[in-house]
Amino acid sequence: MQIDKVVKVWYFKQLVRLEETEGGFDQFTSSYKNFGVHRQPDNSLLFLEWAPAAEALFLTGDFNDWEKFSYPYTKKEFGKWELILPAKHDGTPAVGHNTRLKVVVHTKEGGRLYRISPWAKYVNREEKSIVYDWVHWDPPQPYTQIHPRPKKPTSLRIYEAHVGIASPEGKVASYTNFTTNVLPRIKDLGYNCIQLMAIMEHAYYASFGYQVTSFFAASSRYGTPEELKRMIDAAHSMGIVVLLDVVHSHASKNTEDGLNCFDGSDSCFFHSPPRGEHKLWGSRLFNYSSWEVQRFLLSNLRWWMEEYCFDGFRFDGITSMLYHHHGIGTGFSGDYSEYFGLQVDEDSLVYLMLANHILHTLYPDCITVAEDVSGMPALCRGVEEGGLGFDYRLAMAIPDKWIQILKESKDEDWDMGDIVHTLTNRRYGEKCIAYAESHDQALVGDKSLAFWLMDKEMYTNMSSLIPMTAVIDRGMQLHKMIRLLTHALGGEGYLNFIGNEFGHPEWLDFPREGNNQSYHYARRQFNLLETDHLRYHQLYAFDRDMNRTEDQYGWLAAQPGFVSAKHGEDKVIVFDRGHVVFIFNFHPSKSFQDYRVAVEAPGRYKIKLDSDQDQYGGHGRLDHNTEFYTEPQPFNGRPNSMQVILLCL
């Protein structure tokens, strides 16, 4: 199955047009080198903007004492405006590094608007101000990356992270804190990829970074652009690739410090309302058919790859992009009529095909991940095959299934067949990122898996100095089992949200009016790991060894697992993947002696990972010196209640 043939024709026509009119997509997507502001070899400054509905443009700022009309732009073709500021008499630029600026837009209706350049490379906000300022970023000694990008991992193990919450302290944490204190943890845990959220500048912190105001600016609330570059370089030195959570599905409705109404019109970068407004998100929707919008968004991808050396992107809100209905009030059963018809936004499809083609052509090791809940066919097949070109899609049904089970089912009623079906129900040949929980499940109003499992006892009974309660025992065992089963069976990549690897005890809630601007829940309590008698470090150890075992055996890069048992009464799941036999006993009270399991390859097997080991908060009931042989001997160990065992050749 491939996307509509008409879309393919439009896509190829667009590539030809780019070659004919812009000198090819490489030059077209390098437009960040021209738009905005750039220092020329003679230290003059070139300013270039696209504002098709404007009557006139002026530049103002600290450099001219905010005089509004002394520096007018010159109108050029196709709605572009240009201004050249010669160097000062001493040869230095007329606008220095860290100078605040604004574009003054005069509208045809006689209005006067103060705007930030859509191409602004840095914006920040004074302490008592509500609105962000455009700040000219041209440091005398810009940071230069030292370490090359790591190769694309064959087994992708993603650590989804947010820089601002990556500290136990109730404040906005910094890029430098992440470099010093968090990167070593990620390396130790065995993750080879970081997915960074909320990097693109967003005026409202509580939007989690999904209401972007400045697309080319790295968020100043965590530090400077140079500190972000240093952080990514440090990750590369550890062999870790870094993905940017990119938001091209919509934009903030902010006008003074966003893209909205930049030139005074209700369109410019967006469709005019109602098509250009997202009813649920309260945001603006891009006009992907616009030549200049394509220039802006595709150049935005190049900017993050070139300037900051990101290794790829997790594209947010793909479902909203793919359909005119944006997924609102729509269910997806898997019927092909849901994916091919007038409800599909073909302009968006062409844009996504262009984005993936350009990224993978210019950067062969680039990784792109789609957040799509609809199950669009061929989303993760190559553009040359008629697909959209993504490398992976998020397996979004899996965390929903775990939450549903924990909310609605007693332990004895868990349906092994239903669990296996959810974990294996994916399109063959299209890679998925499996996860038991992401940031979505950590937000206030929902609960993390650890909180669903252990609730208030996480605050009182996680100490190893007191006897383990039944709630903590069950919760810790299931926390480990759910994550490993998802890791091993659910996809071709795995994702964990920052802090959840050790069962973070609290949800995530950013400072806002509803919580009196509190940072209490906008943090990650890594300090819990440093308290030896708390059991959080046991969950951390299991997560670490789970990843290290995968790194050794590579089951994520292997063919999908072959499930040989999903026994409803015994609550046992057994499967092979990557020359590893996985045995899960989810029964709440039953253990089994001499349990016979099927294996794909004959030979001698040994226990590699056992969730019941002491160091993981288990009971140590299995002798790890035992070896197991294929026929005629059965599995002579005892898969204890709520236990997972990995047998490896």
Side-chain angles (χ1 to χ4, degrees), residues 184-204:
R185 294 184 189 277
I186 297 172
K187 176 66 175 176
D188 179 62
L189 281 163
Y191 291 95
N192 54 23
C193 176
I194 302 169
Q195 181 178 298
L196 283 179
M197 308 176 64
I199 295 297
M200 302 169 78
E201 190 59 272
H202 47 293
Y204 185 41

Side-chain angles (χ1 to χ4, degrees), residues 157-161 189 191 193 195 433-439 479 483 494-503 543 546-547:
R157 301 183 297 272
I158 301 174
Y159 196 84
E160 183 185 35
L189 281 163
Y191 291 95
C193 176
Q195 181 178 298
I433 302 293
Y435 57 106
E437 52 185 341
S438 69
H439 72 271
H479 191 270
R483 296 168 75 78
Y494 176 76
L495 178 144
N496 163 68
F497 179 64
I498 179 172
N500 286 358
E501 68 276 4
F502 63 86
D543 196 272
M546 173 177 72
N547 283 322

Side-chain angles (χ1 to χ4, degrees), residues 470-489:
V471 169
I472 297 298
D473 191 10
R474 169 186 177 271
M476 288 188 63
Q477 307 321 316
L478 286 177
H479 191 270
K480 292 177 286 185
M481 295 172 69
I482 287 170
R483 296 168 75 78
L484 180 56
L485 181 57
T486 302
H487 197 304
L489 194 59

Side-chain angles (χ1 to χ4, degrees), residues 143 145 176 179 225-235:
Y143 184 82
Q145 274 88 353
T176 300
T179 303
E226 310 314 302
E227 288 165 341
L228 173 58
K229 293 173 188 177
R230 188 176 293 110
M231 186 184 97
I232 294 172
D233 200 21

